[in-house]
């Protein structure tokens, strides 16, 4: 096989892996949007906050360390222990659930029945608040996150493809684990929403708030649940992205990568988020590979948006967006 | 009943045990719009009570005040009391009320469009804690009352017909094992034949399952044929009440709600002014 084709294949596979990561972020948006009609601007910051919390707990950092030291003149510097990754992840999930509950209690509860744009504004406020909170709790240093996911080139793939084609494909182990994690996560989410009572209630709320209330579904509970799940998805995205490129402020900008994915896949569709993520991942890598050299490179920054715009023009509801069911 | 009713209970309540007792409630939307201006009504156990009146009379508001769905529409009960089994219920959240056996079927069906018919029905059992087997039994029961739903059980509710959606909405409410169903405008947008069918099932449910109904309807004719008692609501006030049979024979009801008079049907040109004849308004 000619090298060019093999190289394109490698680019495609890497694009798929990157797409999985985009899909993970987009998924968080879709979940909240479906259940409550809120476009949660804070999703990216939630991923950052979750990752920061995870690192902080793992390294035995004391929350609000600087603040405590500055106020009381103490010199605390960490608990001096290390928490194993699994336990730290569980604790972080607990923190995200508490966060969901607080958001619902302080903000959403009071905005029931308001226009979507008002709720959207509320989430913008929330995003900046959470950014500051993360900063204050865990500091603003760039951290490395290592929960034990394998990293580096997958030697097996390299070896096998080298023997077969005389060219070893470079596939990162981290990308492979990210893909597996994403598949498990999506399968779990689908199973939850299709086969459990709470999942059914969640879909019911997404369809009709009033009717859901009338059959005795508690909107408060469902919203806490949705935000908890979105917090969990944010944590997973934070872990994977954090392991790839460190935990730092720019992590919250992955939300910007999710936007074109949402436009492409539709805001209300979980399969849409996944397929949209994959298309954009592969699309931008291949575009960079073939067209990039002709225009001086750096196409990855804008390609996804252009693709999304084209979609907006011809298919505004996205690939898998809801066709609106209406009957008289 | 008179407005000067003091708390001399016993005799009245003894003969028809009032399950739901609404006492002189006032409802205001958005803190400014007064919709109900002192409405009192009783729903006896095991009866079908009709709440009649034209557009904008306040029927839906009255029902939502009882089921506590008002709050999500920025309405509130500012005066009066709503008692269920003698207990004040107007501060409860809707899910608490559902657990106590009061559930509303909203006007315009409000099925969950993207859920299948069966999933819709199952959401009605959301508040129940008595185990899967009992819920399955009730699902079968709903299917015996609404065989058509069984045929469509796997269809998305959004793609079923209006009649099927109305049945789905009633069936969904039944899944909560209710004692009282607040049924809002079941005839809306349905063919007369289908309206008959649905009211027939409501009557069956009432007689065989012992479910009490409070029924808000514009279709006075059908409602009074199936109900035991009726209240007539007009611009936020109850203007008349009585046994359904009496209301059907009442000349004013005949003329203004059923479109008949002693001389038979009349042209609109000859209709007497409504205001002048409204002698029962205080």
């Amino acid at each position: 096989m000619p090298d060019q084709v093999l190289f394109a294949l490698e680019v495609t596979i890497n694009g798929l892996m990157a797409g999985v990561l985009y899909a993970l972020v987009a998924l968080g948006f879709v979940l909240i949007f479906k259940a409550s009609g809120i476009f949660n601007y804070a999703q990216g910051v939630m991923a950052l906050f979750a990752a920061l919390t995870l690192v902080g707990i793992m390294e035995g950092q004391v929350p609000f360390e600087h603040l405590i030291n500055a106020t009381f003149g103490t010199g605390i510097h960490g608990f001096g222990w290390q928490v194993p990754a699994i336990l730290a992840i569980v604790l972080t999930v607990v923190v995200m659930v508490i966060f969901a509950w607080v958001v619902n209690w302080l903000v959403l509860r009071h905005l029931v029945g308001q226009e979507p744009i008002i709720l959207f504004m509320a989430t913008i406020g929330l995003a900046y608040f959470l950014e500051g909170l993360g900063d204050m709790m865990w500091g603003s240093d760039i951290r490395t996150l290592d929960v034990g996911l394998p990293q580096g080139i997958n030697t097996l793939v390299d070896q096998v493809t080298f023997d077969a084609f005389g060219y070893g494909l470079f596939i990162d182990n981290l990308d492979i684990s990210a893909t597996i994690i994403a598949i498990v996560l999506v399968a779990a989410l689908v199973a939850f929403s299709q086969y459990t009572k709470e999942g059914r209630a969640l879909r019911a709320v997404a369809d009709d708030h009033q009717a859901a209330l009338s059959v005795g579904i508690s909107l408060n509970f469902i919203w806490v649940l949705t935000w908890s799940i979105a917090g969990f998805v944010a944590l997973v995205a934070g872990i994977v992205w954090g392991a790839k490129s460190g935990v730092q402020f720019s992590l919250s900008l992955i939300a910007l990568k999710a936007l074109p994915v949402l436009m492409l896949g539709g805001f209300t569709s979980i399969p849409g988020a996944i397929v949209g993520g994959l298309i954009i991942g592969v699309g931008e890598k291949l575009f960079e590979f073939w067209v990039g050299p002709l225009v001086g490179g750096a196409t990855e920054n804008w390609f996804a948006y252009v693709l999304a715009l084209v979609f907006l023009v011809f298919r505004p509801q996205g690939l898998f967006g809801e066709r609106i069911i209406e009957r008289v | 009943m008179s407005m000067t009713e003091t708390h001399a209970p016993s005799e009245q309540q003894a003969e028809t045990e009032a399950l739901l007792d609404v006492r002189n409630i006032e409802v205001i939307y958005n803190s400014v719009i007064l919709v109900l201006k002192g409405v009192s009504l009783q729903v006896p156990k095991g009866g079908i009570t009709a709440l009649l009146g034209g557009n904008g009379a306040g029927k839906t508001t009255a029902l939502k005040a009882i089921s506590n769905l008002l709050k999500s529409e920025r309405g509130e009960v500012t005066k009066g009391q709503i008692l269920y089994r003698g207990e004040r219920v107007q501060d409860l959240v809707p899910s608490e009320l559902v657990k106590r056996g009061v559930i509303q079927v909203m006007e315009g069906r409000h099925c969950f469009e993207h859920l299948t018919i069966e999933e819709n029905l199952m959401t009605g059992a959301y508040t129940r804690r008595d185990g899967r087997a009992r819920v399955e039994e009730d699902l079968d029961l709903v299917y015996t009352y609404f065989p058509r739903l069984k045929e469509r059980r796997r269809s998305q509710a959004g793609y079923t017909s209006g009649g099927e959606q109305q049945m789905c909405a009633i069936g969904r409410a039944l899944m909560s094992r209710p004692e009282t169903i607040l049924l809002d405008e079941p005839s809306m947008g349905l063919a007369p034949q289908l309206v008959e069918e649905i009211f027939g099932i409501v009557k069956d449910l009432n007689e065989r399952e012992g479910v009490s109904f409070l029924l808000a309807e514009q279709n006075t004719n059908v409602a009074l044929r199936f109900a035991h008692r009726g209240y007539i609501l007009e611009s936020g006030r109850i203007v008349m009440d009585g046994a359904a049979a009496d209301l059907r024979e009442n000349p004013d009801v005949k003329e203004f709600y059923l479109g008949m008079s002693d001389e038979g049907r009349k042209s609109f040109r000859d209709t007497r002014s409504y205001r002048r004849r409204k002698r029962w308004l205080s």
Side-chain angles (χ1 to χ4, degrees):
Chain A
M1 233 186 280
D3 278 1
Q4 188 75 5
V5 175
L6 278 169
F7 196 44
L9 180 68
E10 185 180 86
V11 170
T12 308
I13 293 175
N14 280 313
L16 282 174
M17 306 279 181
V20 167
L21 296 185
Y22 297 156
L24 266 182
V25 183
L27 212 56
F29 282 98
V30 170
L31 284 170
I32 291 187
F33 189 79
K34 256 178 96 81
S36 50
I38 299 174
F39 180 80
N40 179 22
Y41 185 81
Q43 188 67 32
V45 186
M46 273 164 74
L48 170 68
F49 182 78
L52 274 176
T53 307
L54 181 60
V55 176
I57 292 176
M58 277 176 73
E59 292 178 356
Q61 206 184 338
V62 180
F64 301 109
E65 203 173 76
H66 291 289
L67 189 68
I68 294 171
N69 286 344
T71 336
F72 301 106
T74 46
I76 308 171
H77 192 72
F79 290 118
W81 64 54
Q82 297 275 322
V83 179
I86 297 294
L87 181 60
I89 290 174
V90 172
L91 288 174
T92 310
V93 170
V94 173
V95 170
M96 294 314 281
V97 171
I98 294 172
F99 170 72
W101 186 81
V102 171
V103 166
N104 186 60
W105 194 71
L106 285 180
V107 185
L108 298 178
R109 203 166 55 110
H110 306 285
L111 296 177
V112 175
Q114 293 282 13
E115 297 289 322
I117 186 73
I118 293 177
L119 289 158
F120 174 62
M121 297 309 243
T123 66
I124 293 184
L126 195 65
Y128 288 105
F129 169 76
L130 193 59
E131 206 180 292
L133 183 71
D135 225 46
M136 208 153 65
M137 266 176 95
W138 307 110
S140 51
D141 307 333
I142 298 175
R143 323 288 289 273
T144 51
L145 173 63
D146 183 13
V147 291
L149 292 174
Q151 303 234 9
I153 181 168
N154 187 306
T155 46
L156 184 66
V157 174
D158 190 35
Q159 197 62 48
V160 169
T161 50
F162 185 80
D163 290 347
F165 315 118
Y167 174 89
L169 293 182
F170 182 95
I171 310 261
D172 197 328
N173 271 323
L174 185 63
D175 288 336
I176 295 178
S177 15
T179 309
I180 295 170
I181 290 172
I183 291 171
V184 171
L185 183 71
V186 170
L189 283 175
V190 169
F192 171 77
S193 79
Q194 292 296 325
Y195 302 115
T196 67
K197 185 175 156 183
E198 280 70 26
R200 199 160 49 217
L202 208 135
R203 285 183 294 142
V205 170
D207 257 10
D208 193 327
H209 288 184
Q210 277 275 313
L213 264 179
S214 85
V215 294
I217 295 171
S218 153
L219 290 188
N220 276 324
F221 172 71
I222 292 297
W223 282 347
V224 171
L225 185 68
T226 317
W227 280 73
S228 302
I229 296 173
F232 180 68
V233 173
L235 170 64
V236 174
I239 289 174
V240 176
W241 279 88
K244 211 175 161 71
S245 49
V247 178
Q248 52 185 312
F249 170 73
S250 69
L251 190 61
S252 67
L253 300 180
I254 56 174
L256 295 180
K257 277 287 181 193
L259 272 180
V261 172
L262 292 170
M263 290 180 207
L264 201 69
F267 278 82
T268 51
S269 164
I270 290 178
I274 296 161
V275 176
L278 294 180
I279 291 177
I280 285 192
V282 174
E284 70 180 17
K285 289 282 191 297
L286 283 180
F287 191 78
E288 175 74 26
F289 176 58
W290 275 312
V291 186
L294 305 178
V295 296
T299 57
E300 284 187 39
N301 290 329
W302 52 262
F303 173 76
Y305 286 92
V306 172
L307 192 63
L309 278 178
V310 172
F311 259 83
L312 272 185
V313 172
F314 293 105
R315 208 180 148 78
Q317 75 272 42
L319 272 180
F320 292 82
E322 288 299 336
R323 276 166 302 159
I324 296 155
I325 304 178
E326 234 172 64
R327 289 198 69 109
V328 187
Chain B
M1 111 211 35
S2 65
M3 301 290 280
T4 54
E5 177 184 62
T6 49
H7 288 133
S10 49
E11 56 199 317
Q12 240 184 347
Q13 278 169 1
E15 49 184 274
T16 54
E17 186 202 342
L19 211 48
L20 177 69
D21 190 359
V22 177
R23 291 188 184 163
N24 202 17
I25 58 164
E26 193 175 276
V27 169
I28 296 183
Y29 278 107
N30 273 326
S31 323
V32 281
I33 308 162
L34 180 63
V35 178
L36 294 188
K37 306 160 184 169
V39 166
S40 300
L41 58 87
Q42 267 115 34
V43 176
K45 193 170 166 51
I48 300 179
T49 308
L51 185 58
L52 305 165
N55 270 330
K59 305 185 297 293
T60 297
T61 301
L63 256 51
K64 284 192 171 165
I66 297 166
S67 63
N68 281 330
L69 291 176
L70 270 185
K71 285 191 194 87
S72 60
E73 298 186 346
R74 315 206 142 237
E76 62 178 323
V77 178
T78 47
K79 270 186 203 161
Q81 276 198 313
I82 300 170
L83 304 175
Y84 191 75
R85 294 181 161 282
E87 186 191 356
R88 186 183 151 105
V89 292
Q90 71 225 58
D91 313 309
L92 298 178
V93 290
S95 59
E96 274 305 310
L97 216 60
V98 172
K99 282 183 200 155
R100 272 159 226 236
V102 186
I103 191 162
Q104 176 163 10
V105 176
M106 287 198 289
E107 181 179 12
R109 275 89 72 170
H110 282 274
C111 289
F112 303 119
E113 291 179 341
H114 298 99
L115 273 61
T116 64
I117 291 285
E118 186 151 307
E119 285 175 331
N120 262 280
L121 295 176
M122 292 303 284
T123 58
Y126 183 77
T127 51
R128 287 174 61 170
R129 296 281 177 272
D130 54 354
R132 217 193 176 92
R134 304 288 297 278
V135 172
E136 292 288 332
E137 264 171 44
D138 284 339
L139 189 63
D140 285 338
L141 185 78
V142 170
Y143 283 145
T144 55
Y145 278 99
F146 301 102
R148 252 205 268 179
L149 292 185
K150 191 163 190 174
E151 286 164 30
R152 306 295 311 262
R153 63 203 282 185
R154 304 256 173 261
S155 317
Q156 255 188 40
Y159 290 118
T160 58
S161 74
E164 284 158 351
Q165 290 190 15
Q166 185 64 62
M167 292 176 185
C168 175
I170 298 175
R172 184 174 70 190
L174 278 175
M175 289 300 291
S176 71
R177 284 224 139 260
E179 192 177 26
T180 306
I181 295 183
L182 310 171
L183 187 52
D184 197 353
E185 205 85 35
S187 74
M188 192 171 98
L190 298 184
Q193 210 179 352
L194 216 53
V195 173
E196 266 329 286
E197 188 181 336
I198 283 177
F199 272 88
I201 295 171
V202 165
K203 200 171 175 61
D204 275 358
L205 286 169
N206 172 252
E207 281 164 6
R208 287 196 241 150
E209 310 297 326
V211 182
S212 312
F213 282 89
L214 176 59
L215 174 71
E217 251 309 345
Q218 291 204 37
N219 190 335
T220 312
N221 181 17
V222 180
L224 284 182
R225 268 194 292 122
F226 286 93
H228 303 123
R229 271 186 77 76
Y231 289 85
I232 295 180
L233 193 59
E234 219 167 76
S235 337
R237 287 196 178 86
I238 300 279
V239 290
M240 195 187 248
D241 73 292
D246 297 342
L247 286 179
R248 255 200 333 253
E249 295 309 318
N250 182 296
D252 289 322
V253 174
K254 263 187 170 169
E255 179 162 354
F256 300 122
Y257 287 95
L258 301 175
M260 301 181 294
S261 69
D262 301 337
E263 305 98 68
R265 280 182 174 271
K266 292 202 306 190
S267 143
F268 277 113
R269 201 181 41 192
D270 309 322
T271 315
R272 283 164 296 172
S273 160
Y274 182 20
R275 284 267 158 220
R276 236 185 299 136
R277 293 273 322 244
K278 232 164 66 176
R279 56 166 191 269
W280 57 75
L281 235 178
S282 50

